[in-house]
Structure formats: structure tokens, C-alpha cells
Amino acid sequence: MHDAPTPYATGRDNQVGRRTSVPKLNGRVYTPDALARHVVDGLDMASRWLDPSCGDGAFLEAVLQRAIDDRVPGLHVEGWDIDGDALAVASARLEPLARAAGATLSLVHRDALDPTDARFDRVVGNPPYLESKRMSDALKRRLRKDGWEAATGAFDLYAIFVELASRLVSPGGQVSLIVPNRLLVTGATAGLRALLLSRGTVSLEDRGGAGDFGAAAAVYPVVLTWTEGGPRTLRARGADEGLEHTLVASKLGGRWGVPWQGVGGALLRRVLREPSLAPLGDRFEIRWTVSFHRAGLRERFVSADRPDSPHARRFLGGGSFAGNRELDDGEIRWAGAWVDYDEARAREVGNAFPAIALFDAPKVVVAQNARRCRAALDRSGLVLKDTFLLVRSRDGLDEGERTLAWLVWVLQSDVFHVLYAQLFAGTRKGGGYLHFLGSYLASMPIPAPPEGPLEGVDRATAERRVRDAYGVTAEEGAWLDASAGVAWPLPC
């Protein structure tokens, strides 16, 4: 018998936590039955199953029902939870099924993070979601003291549970968990990703377009399945071929995409393996632009009319709530905002500006958030607000305006979109918008510009020349035509 565990949070000891319900502070997110069955059905049958945060028992019900349907007696099915009331619900739900399946059922009122020697063939579930900003300081100290690889930076409790599952599974066993897509790309989970891929096979299924948790879901779910001791590859769920762990490290910086099956997956793998396609960051630097760090500062420097200042510059994205709407379809449509780019005055108020020379033309302007990449060539020296990224030739490299114009074509192409959407689906948010961060763009493979003029070419011709530069086959081109018009989700 275990003593009743202490909840992860019974009160709310920080500002964000005071606006959060106690169940949410303990990470409670229950899983729809159909999704639980989908996860369980994707695994091979085995003898010992665990859900370390079983809640009302949806995953364990799926296991027991499968044992009944497949006539597999003798399973041991175990669930843990810190919520005694949830375990009571699970018990009433599962005991009749366990009897019908000829299985042993064990529901234990315990903290999954307490030490144990138990090991299981399969670990399934939907880990508790609890952001660092909503955790108590005591819980954060405990997790860091206990040496969890995932207890890094602004970590989330679900990442600790993913690592826990990898410790609880037997040699050759499998873990399958519902996780948010940000696990695939965030710096806080980089060590966890490296740990899993160094010890086995990771398969991913993006569920962002499936509507599993309804339209109000705050995260985009991914089914993460890990096979202990398998080939060190990253693949789509159910796929035979994936990306080698060395490719993930060298071409993706350790971040995880969702490498599809079929033509899209083949295109991705071929492009990543092609040595002639150099990462964008090898020849271009991508820079963050002008931010205002405190309320009221923007109004002190930005105006609708040209300021009476020797430092007056035209400002892109400077209007109130302007976002990135001034950039569309390869064109910049300046809306008329100005900035007094007085670097000394900005330093005096604790809001330093980048050196003004950063904004000299020519440069490429990229919208940071969009359904697909939007970029344009700036020849006029606009200052950019931080809703945009700035791309320019690296110091010592003279790429020239022609190469920058080519880069705009590439960034806005269908092939670039589908590659980026696979590799960085973990940045997706807000109804399908992708986050175009500098470090992600820098790792994208970019072809060299072709011979011939780049000016005055229509969009269809530009697209065809970009595809030729990537070596897109006729089959891949037909697939792009069918898929790239939809920003998200894209068909596999």
C-alpha cells in the first residue's frame, strides 16, 4: 500500500497560478475514448501495460477492450494517479472489463514520480500538462533535484512524464503518449529529444487537424511512440522509413519534424540528404528587429507623421496592431508609420535599438507568423518591427540583390512551404499559423540561384524554376500541386 500522494498543487502561489483552477494546476486533461483507442491500437499486444496518470481510465479501457476483442487473456493492466476521486471512477469503469478479459487490474493511488523498480512492456497515456509558470516553486525544485533531463529551462510537467515513461518501459518495450506539438521543437525539450532518439526509434503522428479535443484545444496534439532499443530513426507513425538520428542532428539541429509517408516523406528525405542544398544560414544571417519592451515606449518613438528629427526613418509594422499585414505576395506595402530612430535616446530609456546600418538595403523581409512563409525584397532601407525578421548577406559575403531576390522566390514557393510545414509543425499555433524563427529558417536547405533573369518573371515561372532547383520530380510536382494550396493540414 502507498500513502495517499500529495497533489502537485493545492494552492496557487504565483500570479499566473492564481488565475488557474486547482485541477488544471495538477495537469488534468482527460482524453477522448476514440483517441485512447487509436493510440493503443497502434501498438503490438503485450503482457504488462501501465498508464502512469490514468485519470478516469480511458487508455486502460482501450487496452482491456482490445484484449476482449482479440481474445488475449492474462494481461496485467495497471494505472496510477494522484487523484483518488479519478481512480474511483476508473475502478467502476474498468473492473467489469478486466473480469471479462481475464486480466488483472491494479489501480494505485500514488505519485508517478516517486521511485519504483516496476517495469512494463507498454506505457501509454496523456501526461499531465502543467507549464513551469503554473508550477509551485517547490515542485520545480524537486524535479530539478531529482535529476530529470527534461527539467530544463521553462519546462512542462508532460516532458517529465515522457522521460519517466522511457525509464519505466522494459527492454524492447514501447511508449505511446499524447504530447503537445511544441515538444518537437522547443529548447527546453532538446535534451529529452536527444535522449529518446539516442536509445531507440521515435514515431510521430500529428493530430492537429483531427479535432480530438475540440476547437477550443490550447495545444496541437501529437502521438509520440518510442520503441526502446529500436533503430535510431525518426519516422511517421506506421512508416517503414524515417530520418536517421545523424540527419536529425546535423540538418534539423536536433528538432523533430513529422516526416510523412508517401511522396511527401520521400521528398523531405531526399532534400535533407542532398549535399548541394546548403542550409540558408550558411550564407545569410537572420536578425531579430526592433522591439519595445514596456508599455508606452512605442508611442514615444513611433508616429503616423514624419517626426521632426534627424533620425526619422520609415517603419514597417509600426502602426498600432499592424502585425505583419504590410507584407503580402512578395510585395511590401508600407502603411505610413515613422520611427524616430534615435539610438542614444532609446538606450536612455532601457530599450536599445540595433545599429541603424542593419536596415540598409537590400535585404529580405520575412513575416514571423503566417500560414505559409511570406517574404519580400526591400530596396528602400525600411526599419522593421519585430513582427518581421530581416535576412541579409553574411559579413564578408557579397550575395548581391539577385541572390536575395532568388531567396524571396524560394521562401514563398510551394516546395519550401511543405518542407517547412513538415519539419517545424511544432511551431504551429492559432488555427494553423507557423512560427518562422531565425534558427529554424537558418537550417532550411536552400538551392543556389539558377542562370537567367529573375526580374519580371510571373509567379508560375518562379515556382517552376524553384522546383527545378530542388530537383522536384514529376510525381513530387503533382503531389505539390495537390497539397500546397492548403496551408494546413496538408495531405500525407
Side-chain angles (χ1 to χ4, degrees):
M1 289 290 293
H2 292 265
D3 294 333
T6 302
Y8 296 129
T10 55
R12 310 167 194 182
D13 61 358
N14 58 43
Q15 186 174 359
V16 175
R18 283 190 287 274
R19 298 196 298 269
T20 308
S21 69
V22 170
K24 189 170 183 179
L25 286 172
N26 285 282
R28 182 188 297 174
V29 180
Y30 284 167
T31 307
D33 293 345
L35 179 56
R37 287 194 298 271
H38 177 75
V39 170
V40 169
D41 287 347
L43 300 174
D44 297 331
M45 206 53 168
S47 297
R48 292 179 57 81
W49 293 74
L50 171 71
D51 182 344
S53 55
C54 68
D56 64 353
F59 286 90
L60 301 183
E61 180 183 66
V63 173
L64 291 168
Q65 188 60 58
R66 183 175 168 190
I68 293 170
D69 294 343
D70 294 350
R71 299 181 181 180
V72 181
L75 300 190
H76 175 80
V77 178
E78 188 160 331
W80 303 341
D81 210 289
I82 60 171
D83 185 339
D85 292 338
L87 284 174
V89 172
S91 178
R93 178 182 190 178
L94 299 175
E95 285 179 358
L97 287 172
R99 288 193 293 271
T104 60
L105 173 67
S106 177
L107 298 176
V108 186
H109 192 197
R110 74 184 301 273
D111 184 346
L113 301 177
D114 288 341
T116 179
D117 293 328
R119 294 294 180 268
F120 300 85
D121 303 313
R122 304 287 182 264
V123 180
V124 295
N126 185 358
Y129 290 24
L130 181 60
E131 297 168 286
S132 181
K133 64 185 178 183
R134 290 187 170 90
M135 284 186 200
S136 68
D137 292 339
L139 178 57
K140 284 186 279 192
R141 284 194 300 269
R142 172 194 169 188
L143 295 173
R144 289 185 173 122
K145 180 182 177 183
D146 288 348
W148 296 96
E149 179 69 41
T152 303
F155 65 95
D156 193 302
L157 191 61
Y158 75 79
I160 303 295
F161 269 71
V162 174
E163 185 175 349
L164 169 70
S166 75
R167 296 184 183 185
L168 292 171
V169 76
S170 303
Q174 290 182 299
V175 170
S176 195
L177 303 172
I178 307 296
V179 298
N181 65 346
R182 60 178 175 262
L183 179 144
L184 311 183
V185 295
T186 61
T189 55
L192 175 61
R193 292 194 299 270
L195 175 70
L196 294 177
L197 203 50
S198 71
R199 293 176 47 206
T201 301
V202 174
S203 70
L204 303 171
E205 180 190 9
D206 192 320
R207 301 286 298 183
D212 296 308
F213 293 91
V219 300
Y220 289 80
V222 171
V223 178
L224 185 159
T225 303
W226 180 69
T227 303
E228 195 280 335
R232 293 184 293 168
T233 57
L234 175 71
R235 61 186 62 176
R237 189 175 193 242
D240 294 329
E241 188 175 2
L243 304 176
E244 303 89 344
H245 73 286
T246 52
L247 201 62
V248 173
S250 63
K251 292 295 184 75
L252 304 183
R255 303 179 189 92
W256 288 354
V258 184
W260 298 333
Q261 302 182 60
V263 177
L267 171 64
L268 172 67
R269 289 188 293 271
R270 182 179 57 73
V271 166
L272 290 179
R273 291 167 179 162
E274 175 52 60
S276 68
L277 298 173
L280 186 152
D282 282 3
R283 302 199 66 83
F284 301 95
E285 64 172 335
I286 307 170
R287 295 290 297 271
W288 193 259
T289 49
V290 175
S291 300
F292 294 104
H293 307 312
R294 299 197 308 275
L297 281 181
R298 188 186 69 86
E299 290 75 13
R300 295 174 66 174
F301 290 88
V302 180
S303 59
D305 299 316
R306 179 169 183 152
D308 184 15
S309 166
H311 307 289
R313 294 288 294 265
R314 293 192 299 166
F315 196 29
L316 197 68
S320 182
F321 304 108
N324 56 32
R325 292 188 296 273
E326 293 162 273
L327 191 159
D328 192 33
D329 198 24
E331 299 290 334
I332 294 172
R333 301 180 179 92
W334 175 57
W338 290 83
V339 61
D340 179 11
Y341 211 84
D342 187 334
E343 296 176 49
R345 185 162 72 93
R347 284 193 297 271
E348 288 174 1
V349 296
N351 196 95
F353 290 161
I356 191 62
L358 175 70
F359 299 101
D360 289 347
K363 61 179 180 290
V364 173
V365 181
V366 178
Q368 278 211 57
N369 294 288
R371 291 188 183 276
R372 59 183 292 163
C373 192
R374 302 207 313 266
L377 181 62
D378 174 37
R379 297 181 173 91
S380 63
L382 290 164
V383 172
L384 312 179
K385 195 176 181 303
D386 59 6
T387 49
F388 301 101
L389 293 170
L390 180 153
V391 184
R392 65 177 189 174
S393 301
R394 284 202 170 277
D395 291 342
L397 295 176
D398 183 13
E399 299 292 0
E401 189 171 304
R402 182 179 185 279
T403 303
L404 291 172
W406 167 250
L407 181 61
V408 170
W409 282 16
V410 172
L411 293 177
Q412 298 204 127
S413 68
D414 289 346
V415 61
F416 183 89
H417 169 62
V418 298
L419 292 171
Y420 193 93
Q422 288 188 79
L423 295 174
F424 299 113
T427 71
R428 191 158 42 88
K429 60 182 181 180
Y433 285 85
L434 289 160
H435 199 177
F436 294 94
L437 287 176
S439 60
Y440 302 162
L441 287 171
S443 67
M444 289 297 295
I446 302 293
E451 299 295 329
L454 300 180
E455 296 293 336
V457 176
D458 61 59
R459 186 65 176 266
T461 302
E463 176 68 27
R464 185 171 62 252
R465 294 179 72 180
V466 172
R467 292 187 187 190
D468 289 344
Y470 273 109
V472 171
T473 66
E475 182 185 23
E476 291 166 350
W479 179 84
L480 286 169
D481 291 337
S483 62
V486 180
W488 200 272
L490 295 170
C492 296

PDB file of all heavy atoms in Angstrom, residues 65-78:
ATOM      1  N   GLN A  65     -10.470  -3.592 -23.614  1.00  0.00           N
ATOM      2  CA  GLN A  65     -11.416  -3.903 -24.685  1.00  0.00           C
ATOM      3  C   GLN A  65     -10.711  -4.615 -25.839  1.00  0.00           C
ATOM      4  O   GLN A  65     -11.266  -5.541 -26.446  1.00  0.00           O
ATOM      5  CB  GLN A  65     -12.074  -2.617 -25.183  1.00  0.00           C
ATOM      6  CG  GLN A  65     -13.222  -2.859 -26.160  1.00  0.00           C
ATOM      7  CD  GLN A  65     -14.339  -3.677 -25.544  1.00  0.00           C
ATOM      8  OE1 GLN A  65     -14.914  -3.287 -24.523  1.00  0.00           O
ATOM      9  NE2 GLN A  65     -14.651  -4.836 -26.140  1.00  0.00           N
ATOM     10  N   ARG A  66      -9.479  -4.201 -26.110  1.00  0.00           N
ATOM     11  CA  ARG A  66      -8.717  -4.875 -27.158  1.00  0.00           C
ATOM     12  C   ARG A  66      -8.416  -6.323 -26.759  1.00  0.00           C
ATOM     13  O   ARG A  66      -8.463  -7.243 -27.588  1.00  0.00           O
ATOM     14  CB  ARG A  66      -7.429  -4.115 -27.438  1.00  0.00           C
ATOM     15  CG  ARG A  66      -6.616  -4.709 -28.577  1.00  0.00           C
ATOM     16  CD  ARG A  66      -5.422  -3.862 -28.896  1.00  0.00           C
ATOM     17  NE  ARG A  66      -4.504  -4.549 -29.784  1.00  0.00           N
ATOM     18  CZ  ARG A  66      -3.275  -4.123 -30.079  1.00  0.00           C
ATOM     19  NH1 ARG A  66      -2.830  -2.988 -29.564  1.00  0.00           N
ATOM     20  NH2 ARG A  66      -2.497  -4.814 -30.882  1.00  0.00           N
ATOM     21  N   ALA A  67      -8.093  -6.541 -25.484  1.00  0.00           N
ATOM     22  CA  ALA A  67      -7.841  -7.915 -25.020  1.00  0.00           C
ATOM     23  C   ALA A  67      -9.085  -8.789 -25.182  1.00  0.00           C
ATOM     24  O   ALA A  67      -8.991  -9.964 -25.554  1.00  0.00           O
ATOM     25  CB  ALA A  67      -7.395  -7.886 -23.559  1.00  0.00           C
ATOM     26  N   ILE A  68     -10.259  -8.195 -24.917  1.00  0.00           N
ATOM     27  CA  ILE A  68     -11.513  -8.936 -25.097  1.00  0.00           C
ATOM     28  C   ILE A  68     -11.731  -9.247 -26.579  1.00  0.00           C
ATOM     29  O   ILE A  68     -12.018 -10.386 -26.966  1.00  0.00           O
ATOM     30  CB  ILE A  68     -12.691  -8.126 -24.531  1.00  0.00           C
ATOM     31  CG1 ILE A  68     -12.576  -8.011 -23.009  1.00  0.00           C
ATOM     32  CG2 ILE A  68     -14.021  -8.760 -24.926  1.00  0.00           C
ATOM     33  CD1 ILE A  68     -13.556  -7.032 -22.387  1.00  0.00           C
ATOM     34  N   ASP A  69     -11.581  -8.219 -27.422  1.00  0.00           N
ATOM     35  CA  ASP A  69     -11.840  -8.383 -28.854  1.00  0.00           C
ATOM     36  C   ASP A  69     -10.886  -9.388 -29.496  1.00  0.00           C
ATOM     37  O   ASP A  69     -11.283 -10.177 -30.368  1.00  0.00           O
ATOM     38  CB  ASP A  69     -11.737  -7.039 -29.570  1.00  0.00           C
ATOM     39  CG  ASP A  69     -12.814  -6.057 -29.149  1.00  0.00           C
ATOM     40  OD1 ASP A  69     -13.823  -6.493 -28.559  1.00  0.00           O
ATOM     41  OD2 ASP A  69     -12.640  -4.839 -29.376  1.00  0.00           O
ATOM     42  N   ASP A  70      -9.607  -9.327 -29.068  1.00  0.00           N
ATOM     43  CA  ASP A  70      -8.596 -10.196 -29.666  1.00  0.00           C
ATOM     44  C   ASP A  70      -8.435 -11.517 -28.917  1.00  0.00           C
ATOM     45  O   ASP A  70      -7.583 -12.336 -29.281  1.00  0.00           O
ATOM     46  CB  ASP A  70      -7.243  -9.473 -29.718  1.00  0.00           C
ATOM     47  CG  ASP A  70      -7.247  -8.279 -30.651  1.00  0.00           C
ATOM     48  OD1 ASP A  70      -8.235  -8.122 -31.402  1.00  0.00           O
ATOM     49  OD2 ASP A  70      -6.280  -7.493 -30.626  1.00  0.00           O
ATOM     50  N   ARG A  71      -9.207 -11.685 -27.826  1.00  0.00           N
ATOM     51  CA  ARG A  71      -9.173 -12.901 -27.013  1.00  0.00           C
ATOM     52  C   ARG A  71      -7.749 -13.194 -26.520  1.00  0.00           C
ATOM     53  O   ARG A  71      -7.183 -14.262 -26.748  1.00  0.00           O
ATOM     54  CB  ARG A  71      -9.727 -14.097 -27.807  1.00  0.00           C
ATOM     55  CG  ARG A  71     -11.169 -13.893 -28.224  1.00  0.00           C
ATOM     56  CD  ARG A  71     -11.714 -15.074 -28.987  1.00  0.00           C
ATOM     57  NE  ARG A  71     -13.103 -14.842 -29.390  1.00  0.00           N
ATOM     58  CZ  ARG A  71     -13.853 -15.698 -30.065  1.00  0.00           C
ATOM     59  NH1 ARG A  71     -13.328 -16.877 -30.436  1.00  0.00           N
ATOM     60  NH2 ARG A  71     -15.084 -15.417 -30.385  1.00  0.00           N
ATOM     61  N   VAL A  72      -7.202 -12.195 -25.843  1.00  0.00           N
ATOM     62  CA  VAL A  72      -5.852 -12.308 -25.275  1.00  0.00           C
ATOM     63  C   VAL A  72      -5.989 -12.240 -23.750  1.00  0.00           C
ATOM     64  O   VAL A  72      -6.080 -11.143 -23.176  1.00  0.00           O
ATOM     65  CB  VAL A  72      -4.932 -11.185 -25.784  1.00  0.00           C
ATOM     66  CG1 VAL A  72      -3.527 -11.349 -25.193  1.00  0.00           C
ATOM     67  CG2 VAL A  72      -4.891 -11.162 -27.299  1.00  0.00           C
ATOM     68  N   PRO A  73      -6.048 -13.394 -23.063  1.00  0.00           N
ATOM     69  CA  PRO A  73      -6.191 -13.379 -21.601  1.00  0.00           C
ATOM     70  C   PRO A  73      -4.841 -13.174 -20.916  1.00  0.00           C
ATOM     71  O   PRO A  73      -3.779 -13.220 -21.542  1.00  0.00           O
ATOM     72  CB  PRO A  73      -6.749 -14.775 -21.307  1.00  0.00           C
ATOM     73  CG  PRO A  73      -6.128 -15.631 -22.379  1.00  0.00           C
ATOM     74  CD  PRO A  73      -6.035 -14.759 -23.615  1.00  0.00           C
ATOM     75  N   GLY A  74      -4.926 -12.951 -19.604  1.00  0.00           N
ATOM     76  CA  GLY A  74      -3.721 -12.959 -18.783  1.00  0.00           C
ATOM     77  C   GLY A  74      -2.946 -11.658 -18.742  1.00  0.00           C
ATOM     78  O   GLY A  74      -1.813 -11.639 -18.239  1.00  0.00           O
ATOM     79  N   LEU A  75      -3.509 -10.545 -19.237  1.00  0.00           N
ATOM     80  CA  LEU A  75      -2.786  -9.274 -19.172  1.00  0.00           C
ATOM     81  C   LEU A  75      -2.740  -8.740 -17.746  1.00  0.00           C
ATOM     82  O   LEU A  75      -3.645  -8.989 -16.942  1.00  0.00           O
ATOM     83  CB  LEU A  75      -3.459  -8.218 -20.056  1.00  0.00           C
ATOM     84  CG  LEU A  75      -3.611  -8.460 -21.563  1.00  0.00           C
ATOM     85  CD1 LEU A  75      -4.082  -7.184 -22.236  1.00  0.00           C
ATOM     86  CD2 LEU A  75      -2.314  -8.952 -22.168  1.00  0.00           C
ATOM     87  N   HIS A  76      -1.692  -7.984 -17.461  1.00  0.00           N
ATOM     88  CA  HIS A  76      -1.653  -7.179 -16.246  1.00  0.00           C
ATOM     89  C   HIS A  76      -1.774  -5.720 -16.669  1.00  0.00           C
ATOM     90  O   HIS A  76      -0.945  -5.216 -17.433  1.00  0.00           O
ATOM     91  CB  HIS A  76      -0.346  -7.392 -15.477  1.00  0.00           C
ATOM     92  CG  HIS A  76      -0.229  -6.479 -14.288  1.00  0.00           C
ATOM     93  ND1 HIS A  76      -0.862  -6.749 -13.095  1.00  0.00           N
ATOM     94  CD2 HIS A  76       0.418  -5.293 -14.118  1.00  0.00           C
ATOM     95  CE1 HIS A  76      -0.604  -5.772 -12.235  1.00  0.00           C
ATOM     96  NE2 HIS A  76       0.173  -4.881 -12.832  1.00  0.00           N
ATOM     97  N   VAL A  77      -2.805  -5.052 -16.194  1.00  0.00           N
ATOM     98  CA  VAL A  77      -3.111  -3.678 -16.593  1.00  0.00           C
ATOM     99  C   VAL A  77      -3.095  -2.816 -15.340  1.00  0.00           C
ATOM    100  O   VAL A  77      -3.844  -3.079 -14.385  1.00  0.00           O
ATOM    101  CB  VAL A  77      -4.485  -3.611 -17.294  1.00  0.00           C
ATOM    102  CG1 VAL A  77      -4.821  -2.167 -17.661  1.00  0.00           C
ATOM    103  CG2 VAL A  77      -4.498  -4.495 -18.527  1.00  0.00           C
ATOM    104  N   GLU A  78      -2.250  -1.784 -15.339  1.00  0.00           N
ATOM    105  CA  GLU A  78      -2.032  -1.000 -14.128  1.00  0.00           C
ATOM    106  C   GLU A  78      -2.192   0.492 -14.428  1.00  0.00           C
ATOM    107  O   GLU A  78      -1.794   0.979 -15.490  1.00  0.00           O
ATOM    108  CB  GLU A  78      -0.632  -1.274 -13.579  1.00  0.00           C
ATOM    109  CG  GLU A  78      -0.358  -0.655 -12.208  1.00  0.00           C
ATOM    110  CD  GLU A  78       0.804  -1.322 -11.489  1.00  0.00           C
ATOM    111  OE1 GLU A  78       1.050  -2.534 -11.716  1.00  0.00           O
ATOM    112  OE2 GLU A  78       1.478  -0.633 -10.717  1.00  0.00           O
TER     113      GLU A  78
END
